[in-house]
Structures are given as structure tokens and as C-alpha cells.
Amino acid sequence: MPPLDLGVLISGRGSNLQAILDAIAAGRLDARVRLVLSNRADVEGLARAERAGVPTRVIAHRDFADRDSFDAAAVDALREAGATWVVLAGFMRLLTTTFLDAFPHRVVNIHPSLLPSFPGVDAQQQALDHGVRVTGCTVHLVDAGTDTGPILAQAAVPVLDGDDRDALAARILVQEHALLIRALSWIAEGRLQIAPPDVPGGRARATLAGVETALGLAQNGPARGDVGGVGEVGEVGEGA
Ligand code: GRF
């Protein structure tokens, strides 16, 4: 398999982007970051990309009349850069079919909850507000809904007594970094299979063949899939 040619979309801090850059540099992910595209200037993620020598673009959503025209510009930039897969790594915009149809089943998102629980913004606070005892993170393919696309892999994270939003978010973030790299590696290995919906208008299913995609509670030591080795990714635990 050739390496994955990634476009990474960010809006801010970029710690998941950093995990990707570190994994590639360490030979743990067979991929190249062709472009880091941010909808906001002056964000930390852009500095991380520049430090890694990766091309960057800022396309400010405020410069566009509507979502479709922003998405069309983003598609052009990604294609021009040679990206054939897209990772949403803290990208805070919904994508339209203008974007999704350009990269069918090739847009991957990392979300800080066990979907379908707590989609949308501040999933960690939503989990605390609901009093759940277990939350986590999800890597999924993106569709036109908010965090509704086919699930690829999930890691569970306990909610501990006394957790506030930042403590919980930091613990989830460690798992996000590991899970995202793991899922992308599995895609790079050619394991992704898409099954069409059983019924018209139904939900497509995504499978990563031959691997354990349900990862266990970090509190209990290495999970079944051995996720969560702190040494596995850089710059963990910085809060979200
Ligand atoms: C992460 O919690 C990610 O799951 C969510 O936004 C946050 C981005 O963090 N979608 P970072 O920019 O990767 O540090």
C-alpha cells in the first residue's frame, strides 16, 4: 500500500495533529501530511505544522458567503496539495456534501465521547452534566450530520470522582491521540471496508478488518488493544 496522503483540518491547538506528525516521524504511521488547513489564523496547530516542515494554508470561513463556497475552496486547496484522505483534528466547522462528495468515505474525525452519546460541542462537559461513569473517544467517518458518520474505533475512559471538565478532557485526550493514530494506521494497512446501508436512506457501516477496535478503560492498565501508552504520542495531557 502507498502511504496515506493526508490533509489535516484544524481550528486551534492541534494536539491531535501533533500526534499524527510524531507518529509519522517515528515510523508508526505510514502517511504524509500534504497540507494542514486551518479556518483560523494564528492558531497553535499551524505553528506545529510549520515546525514539522509541513505545508499550511489558512482559509478563513468568514471570507466566504456560505458553507458551500468555503468547502469548495478547501477541496481545491487539498486537491492541489495532493491530499486524498482528510482528518478533522479539532476542526470546528460542519462540512457540506460539496466537501464530503469530493472525498467519499475518506474524511475521518476524532470526537471526545463515545458516540452516539454527546455529539457536538463540549462533549466532555456534556458527559459530566449527564453523570455518566464511562465516556471516551470515537474515530469515525464523517457524513453530513454532526458526529453521526460510521464509527471506526472507540476507546473508553472512566469518569473519576472529583473530575472537572479539564481533568476529564485531559484524560480523554491521551486516548484520542493513541486511538487516532491506531485508526489511521489501520486505514493505511488497507483494512477499511464500507458496507452500504441495508435499507435505502439507512446507515452505512464501516469495518476495520481483523483488528480490535473497542479499546478498554485506561484506568485498568493497557487496554485489550494496548491503547494509551503515554510514551506513544507526544504532548499529551495538556487539557482540551
Ligand atoms: C479534541 O478533543 C477533539 O476530539 C475535538 O477537538 C479537540 C481538538 O484538540 N474534536 P486538538 O486541537 O487536537 O488539540
Side-chain angles (χ1 to χ4, degrees), residues 63-154:
D63 293 346
F64 294 84
D66 51 37
R67 285 184 189 279
D68 277 317
S69 51
F70 170 82
D71 282 8
V75 167
D76 285 349
L78 289 161
R79 284 189 168 147
E80 212 171 280
T84 56
W85 287 84
V86 177
V87 182
L88 308 186
F91 182 67
M92 301 302 284
R93 306 277 304 164
L94 288 180
L95 295 171
T96 66
T97 51
T98 298
F99 190 101
L100 297 171
D101 290 350
F103 298 98
H105 302 305
R106 284 184 165 216
V107 183
V108 175
N109 185 42
I110 174 82
H111 182 78
S113 75
L114 293 176
L115 292 170
S117 291
F118 314 135
V121 295
D122 213 349
Q124 302 95 334
Q125 187 62 51
Q126 292 186 56
L128 287 174
D129 291 346
H130 281 261
V132 296
R133 295 296 185 265
V134 178
T135 182
C137 52
T138 302
V139 173
H140 67 96
L141 297 178
V142 176
D143 66 11
T146 302
D147 303 318
T148 52
I151 288 170
L152 296 179
Q154 295 185 302

Side-chain angles (χ1 to χ4, degrees), residues 161-172:
D161 290 346
D163 262 353
D164 61 12
R165 188 230 173 253
D166 286 351
L168 179 59
R171 197 169 331 102
I172 295 171

Side-chain angles (χ1 to χ4, degrees), residues 48-61:
R48 293 177 190 269
E50 281 156 19
R51 280 201 295 276
V54 162
T56 61
R57 282 279 296 272
V58 175
I59 301 183
H61 59 275

